[in-house]
Amino acid sequence: MSRIFSFGQVCTVLLLVLVACSSADKRGWTGAEDDGSNEAMIVGYHCTEPESLVVRYTQDQASLWIDEAWLVLPRLISASGERYSDGETVFWGKGKEAWFVHPGLADQTCTFAEVPSQWAEAEGRGVAVRAIGQEPGWLLEIHVGGGADFSYDYGTGHVGFDQTVPSSQTDALIYKARTGGHRLVARITPGPCLDSMSGEYMTHHVEVTFDNKPYKGCGRILKL
C-alpha cells in the first residue's frame, strides 16, 4: 500500500514547496518552487482519514509526494477545475478543494492548507527558503539574493552569510555557505514535516549542519 503522511488535527501546512495568496501566484496559492522554466510550485493539502498530501504543480502535470518519491500525473482536459491522472491515480483540484483517488487507499477529499502569516511576511522580505527546528530552537532564512541568516540555541547565537551556493541531489536541494570560521550546509527534501513545538505541518524536511553540529527541522520553499 502506498503511504501518505498523517496530518493529525493540525490546520496548517511544503513544497514544495515551496503562504497567503500573492499577486504573482496565478492559481491563488503561494509557497511556489519556481524552477525558472516551468513555473513549478509545491503546496500542501489536508485530506480525509486524516491524511496529508504534498503536491508539486507545473503547467502540464501534478506530482504527488508518495512513498518518498514524486508520482507524476499528466494533466487531462477537464470541464471544471484541473484534473490529473496516470490511469490509476486521479487528482482533481478545483479552487481550494481537491479529490484524490489512489490504489490501496480510500478516496480522499482534500482542502488547501493555509500558511501562517509569518511565512507570508518572510516571503515579502525576499526569503526564498525558511526553516525552523527545536531542541535547541533554531531558524534558517535563505534569501532570494543568495544570502542567509542562521539563528541557533534559542536565538542566543546568530550568523549571517553573504552568499549561499545551491545545488541539487535527486529530490533534495542543497545550500552551502561559509563566512569567517563558520560553515553551513542545509539539505531540503519534500514531504510533510511536523514542527514539534508549534504543531504546524510544513512541506519540507530540513537538515542543517552548522559548524559540524546537526540541526533537524521543517520548512517551506517560498520562492526560487
Side-chain angles (χ1 to χ4, degrees):
M1 177 183 297
S2 296
R3 175 164 54 90
I4 302 178
F5 297 81
S6 172
F7 256 100
Q9 297 178 346
V10 185
C11 295
T12 55
V13 139
L14 217 247
L15 139 51
L16 267 176
V17 221
L18 347 246
V19 190
C21 298
S22 73
S23 59
D25 190 334
K26 297 179 181 179
R27 284 193 179 92
W29 304 317
T30 57
E33 180 184 344
D34 188 350
D35 63 5
S37 61
N38 204 23
E39 297 184 355
M41 67 170 73
I42 294 180
V43 300
Y45 288 89
H46 300 293
C47 300
T48 50
E49 292 192 5
E51 299 287 348
S52 68
L53 186 64
V54 174
V55 181
R56 180 173 64 188
Y57 288 98
T58 63
Q59 183 177 359
D60 301 320
Q61 63 191 31
S63 302
L64 313 183
W65 184 254
I66 299 175
D67 287 338
E68 301 183 2
W70 292 112
L71 175 62
V72 180
L73 306 179
R75 185 174 182 177
L76 305 179
I77 296 176
S78 176
S80 178
E82 296 181 344
R83 190 168 180 265
Y84 306 84
S85 178
D86 61 359
E88 292 186 345
T89 299
V90 179
F91 184 80
W92 177 30
K94 184 177 181 181
K96 293 188 176 183
E97 295 185 343
W99 295 264
F100 172 51
V101 177
H102 185 70
L105 291 175
D107 293 356
Q108 303 284 305
T109 300
C110 308
T111 56
F112 176 68
E114 302 289 351
V115 180
S117 59
Q118 63 265 32
W119 297 84
E121 184 274 334
E123 183 185 29
R125 288 190 286 106
V127 174
V129 178
R130 190 172 192 265
I132 60 175
Q134 312 300 334
E135 298 181 0
W138 59 269
L139 170 67
L140 172 66
E141 291 187 340
I142 300 173
H143 303 281
V144 173
D149 290 286
F150 184 64
S151 299
Y152 56 98
D153 291 342
Y154 302 103
T156 60
H158 174 267
V159 175
F161 298 89
D162 293 331
Q163 189 65 39
T164 56
V165 179
S167 62
S168 60
Q169 192 176 73
T170 61
D171 285 309
L173 289 175
I174 309 294
Y175 288 88
K176 298 181 180 180
R178 290 178 179 270
T179 185
H182 299 290
R183 181 174 183 268
L184 181 143
V185 178
R187 179 182 177 86
I188 302 160
T189 57
C193 182
L194 173 67
D195 177 56
S196 59
M197 181 66 71
S198 66
E200 178 184 347
Y201 271 95
M202 305 178 205
T203 55
H204 289 74
H205 298 269
V206 180
E207 298 180 7
V208 174
T209 302
F210 174 71
D211 292 347
N212 296 319
K213 183 176 180 179
Y215 297 81
K216 292 186 177 182
C218 307
R220 295 186 179 90
I221 295 175
L222 302 178
K223 61 175 68 175
L224 287 179

